[in-house]
Structures are given as C-alpha cells and as structure tokens.
Amino acid sequence: MEDTIPKFFITSFFSSDNMYLFFFIIAWAISYISFPVIINISKVKGLTAIPSDRSSHTVKTPNLGGVGIFMGFILAFTGFGSIFDIGSNYNLIGSLVVLFFLGLKDDILVLSAKTKFIVQFGIALLITLNSSISINSLFGIFGIYKIGIIPAIALTTFVYVLIINSYNLIDGIDGLAGIIAICFLSVSSILFYNSHSITLLIISLTLLGSILAFLQYNFSRRKKIFMGDTGSMIVGFLISFLVINILNLKEINFGLFSYTTSPTLLIALLFYPLVDTARIFFVRLVILKKSPFNADKNHIHHRLLALGFNHCQISIFVGLFTFVLAFISLLMINETIYFQLFSIIFLGMLLFSLPLILEKMRSMTFNFLGDAILPFVIMLSIGLMQSCATKKDILYLNDNNSNAISDIKLNNQKIESNDILSIKIYSLDPESSKIYNIDLLESSTSVNSIEIIKLKSYLVSDQGDITMPVLGTLMVNNKSTLELEGYLKNKLIGEGHLKEPIVKVRILNSKITVLGEVRSPGMYTFYEKNLTIFQALGLAGDLTINGKRKDVLLIRNENDTKTIYHIDLTSKNWMDTQLYYIKKNDVIIVNPNESKIKSSGIIGNTGTFVSVISFLLTALLLIKK
C-alpha cells in the first residue's frame, strides 16, 4: 500500500486538486485554538504591551500574537507537508525559527534596532545565497534587464530587509498589518495556483489561514491580542520570500487578466507599508532631524486616527484601496515599466492620501486650490496617462483586403563559401550508405552538441567546394540545398554507388539577426529551408507592445548590395512578395513606437510630467501643516 494511513484518510476528503485547502483549514484551526492559551499565559506572566503616549490602545494587551501565527503556519506546513510530498524547505523553516526567537525576545525584553537589523540582514543574505531564487532582473528600469550574480544577491537581500521592516512599522493599529497580508496572500495564491506552483501556493494559503485566525482575536474586545514583533517579522519575511518567487514567475493567464513578470503589481500590493516607511524616514530625518528608528506618531494611520477614523475603518480602507491599486496595475501590465511605476506611485499616493487631502481642502480658507486646480490636475493626469495606441496600430494583418494570399515560389537558400553543410545519405542497405556519411565514419556516439555536429559536417571552402568520402571533391557553390540533393542523388545512382538513395542537405550556420523592440533580441540560427518573417520574429519572442508594427525594417544582402525594406505587419499586402520568407544573414529591426520614444525621457512624456507635478502637489498638501 503506497499511501500512508494519514494520507489515505486526508485524501478521502480532499482531492489532489484542492488538497491545498487542507493546509488553510489546519493552519486556521491550530492558530485559533492557540490564541486563548497565549492570551491567558501573557496576562498571568505580565507579557503585555503597556500603553504609552504614542500607543493607540489604553489598556494592557498581550502582544504575542506572532506565537500563534507561527504555530499555525509551522505545524500545518511541516506536520502535513510530507503527506502531500511537498518539497523540503529547510532554508525557509530555519530562517523562520531564527526570526521567531528574535521577535519573541524583542516582544519580551526589547532589542535595539541595530541588533534586529544585523540578524535580519544575516538571515536575508543566507537564504539568498542558499537559494536558487533571486531577483536577477531590473525589468527594463534604467534600460537594464539581466543583472549579474553579485548585484542580484545584493538586491534580493535588500528587498528582504526592506519588506520585513516596512511591514513591522505599520503594525500600529488593530487589523492593519493583518489586512495588508490578506490582500497580498490572496493575490499570490491566485498567481501560484495558475502557475501550478503548489508549494508556494500552500505557503500562501497556510499563512493566510493563520492570519485570519489572528484577526478574529485582534479585532476582539474581550480577548484582544496584538501581532507583536514576532508576528510582523515572520509575516514580513514570508511575504518577502513570496515576492521574490513571484518576480521569477513566467507569464500567467487567468480569467480576464494576464500577469507578465513586473514589479508593479507587487509594489501596488505593498504600497501602503512601503510609502509609509518612506514617509516616516523623510519626516524623521529631514523635517524632525532625528533618528529614523525613534518611534513617534507620524505614521499615516496616526494621521487618520486624528481625523476621527477608528481602527476597523482604517484597516478596511487600506485593504480596499490596496485591491483597487492591484487591479489597476494589472490593467497596465503591458505598458512601459516607467509608465507603470509612475502611474502606480501617483495613484497610490492619491488613493491612500484621499482622506487627508479632503481634510486639508476643507480647512483651507482660500479653497481655490481644492475647488479647481487640484481636481483639474488629477483628471488631466488620468486622461493623459491613457494609452493613445489603437487596435490598428497593434494587431497584425488587420487591413480589410481579401483573405486570399498568392502562392509564392519558394527560393531555396543558395550555398556560399564558409557555409557548414550537413549531408545525410541513406539507402535500403544502411551498411552500404554508411561510408558516405562523415559523422557515422568518425564516431557512433550520440552527442547533441551543435558544435560537435558542425565538426562532423562539411565546410564550404573559399573556392566553393567540399570533399566527401568516396565521392571526392564536389563543387557546391551557388547551388541551393534542393539542387545539391538532386545532384548527389543522380551522382550516386549514375556512378553505381547506391540504388534508390535518399539525400538530405541542410545549412547549419544560417543566421538571422533580430534587433529592437522584441522580447529577446539577438542572433538566431535556423535549419529550415524556408523561414517566414513571422517565424523569425517568433524566435525572438515576438514584438513587445511598444514595437512599431507598421514599419519593420528588413535589411537584406543581395548580389553584394544591401537593401532596406519597410514592412507593415498590420497589412497583408507584402505577404505575396519575396519578403515573406527570410534569407540567410537577413537583419530585422523593430523600431519603438512614438509612445516608447516619448517615455524614454521623463519630461518628454506629457502624462508622466503631469503625474509628477500632481504627485509633488499631493505631497506638499500632506506635509504642509
């Protein structure tokens, strides 16, 4: 019997398609049962948060909620992970244990910010070095995509420390940290489910179950408990771990949306903790001239409390606007990275600052700014940030001409000097044809390396000939592969070498170059006798959304003359010409469209310029007292 007894009973209730729900339920149940015990012990032993002048609570409250979250997650994930054959995650579990004890000691004895930072940095660096997952791309920011190993390690470590601390800083009122985690984990669960990343999906749902149980007590009046540094460190670390894995996902299609790897969705989901951290550091360092680690009441949630909102209202407000911002980021996923970043930053500042902006505008004696200029700038920014491209600029072959395309006479590639030829000769008697094949004569080992294959092929000399076993020196220059096949077949039959031979000729070093606005520009080798321009663009991953489809350049060398052709991919007119098929050494250049050209300079993009001005105006309203 292959299944263990526990697995047999569990899988009787949970199919393989929804077994991850089991982890969610178990984590919730363990945490929910644990919290009353933790609350009672905390009260008996005096392990409670004492209200201070910056606290948002007025009575002593247990602050070891992280213990219950840790127990729910760790027991469900490790205790039942082996039942469903989930891969080992020793690095993750080990890091969680260290952060658990670090947070526990901080909740009970209070540690210095320096000590916490050193441990967090060490854990982040170790898990980055011991893991194959890191942030190895800047996704086009500053024109950079792939980055080296050292920058990738440094960036990944920084992201771990940044998210852990920004998440820790927002844990100041009931429900806020938990609601933000639920928003993130809900979206990450959808992404991992659609990408079939089962282990990461289970991590998301297991943590989600533990946090939902925590929120039930965090919002309670009689049995209240805070997350504490134990919980914020654990949850922040797991969120950062999932962030880095999401940045390594490939394109995902789900429902009405598609997700192409981009940091903007994650920035949208974590916008509140990130912007609150940035704001706190700015206010403390620049305005108040003090250490950024000294606690005060300058968080956004403190400002909202001062306006009369209660804890539940603020948490729901932040959660709702987080989902709205994430939804908007998905709508813009195919735009340029600069457009996405500026739009998310501007809209995020606007959404999360809306109550403060409205309050400022109400308190102004001269309210022309609130009544006219600010709404005008906001509406103008949103309007100008919309894409100006039409479907006719983007879709291929969208003209109204007839669907009929004329048959094109295929011109096989002509063999030239320095070409590398693969010539295979077969017959009814394999042993008889073996002596005509250079690769079979030299070795019978099966090696798939293209370089080895080239060494076992024929290099056309400067004089245009090759030397074959038995057949000797043959002139092949200016013959097509089809013509050479016929020539060799007739020679083998005419000279009495073989009966009914089969000859296959391929050019192994046929190359094309695809540059510009494609997903993977570079030089590509092809082995087909005839390659279409669509197949060539497919080798390069297709045009990006910013590629100029109406004017793709094809540079072709014919009779020692280079000719530049202009191709409109949105029309069918060129498809019945010789441009439809690619030739050796062709160069395809896809220029950027007007939107991409404008977005390459911040000031050149009107929408971005207005967004920046609006962003500065909003920041001025928030900072000004």
Side-chain angles (χ1 to χ4, degrees), residues 447-463:
V447 182
N448 293 323
S449 171
I450 186 62
E451 298 302 325
I452 300 297
I453 294 175
K454 287 180 180 179
L455 290 174
K456 295 182 178 182
S457 302
Y458 301 93
L459 175 65
V460 181
S461 69
D462 293 336
Q463 291 73 36

Side-chain angles (χ1 to χ4, degrees), residues 13 19 41 57 63 90 93 295 317 334 392 409 419 459 538 540 553 563 582 595-596 607:
F13 296 97
M19 59 90 176
I41 294 175
H57 62 286
N63 63 341
Y90 300 119
I93 301 303
F317 157 76
N334 290 320
K392 289 187 176 181
K409 182 179 179 181
D419 278 349
L459 175 65
L553 304 184
T563 307
I582 292 296
S595 299
K596 180 60 181 291

Side-chain angles (χ1 to χ4, degrees), residues 13 26 51 57 76 103 123 133 174 177 186 195 227-228 242 257 286 364 385 419 501 518 544 546 548 598:
F13 296 97
I26 290 297
H57 62 286
I123 289 297
I133 302 297
D174 296 341
S186 299
S195 66
M227 183 179 287
L242 296 174
F257 300 100
V286 178
M364 285 182 178
M385 286 192 296
D419 278 349
V518 291
T544 67
N546 300 302
K548 193 173 184 179
K598 288 181 179 181

Side-chain angles (χ1 to χ4, degrees), residues 63 323-324 416 467 500 604 616:
N63 63 341
F323 275 127
V324 170
E416 301 172 355
T467 301
E500 300 181 7
L616 295 175

Side-chain angles (χ1 to χ4, degrees), residues 132-153 155 247-250 261 519-521:
S132 59
I133 302 297
S134 62
I135 304 174
N136 52 20
S137 173
L138 291 186
F139 307 99
I141 301 174
F142 308 119
I144 301 173
Y145 287 89
K146 292 292 183 182
I147 58 177
I149 296 177
I150 301 301
I153 293 173
L155 179 59
L247 288 175
N248 282 271
L249 293 177
K250 296 181 179 179
T261 306
R519 297 189 186 279
S520 302

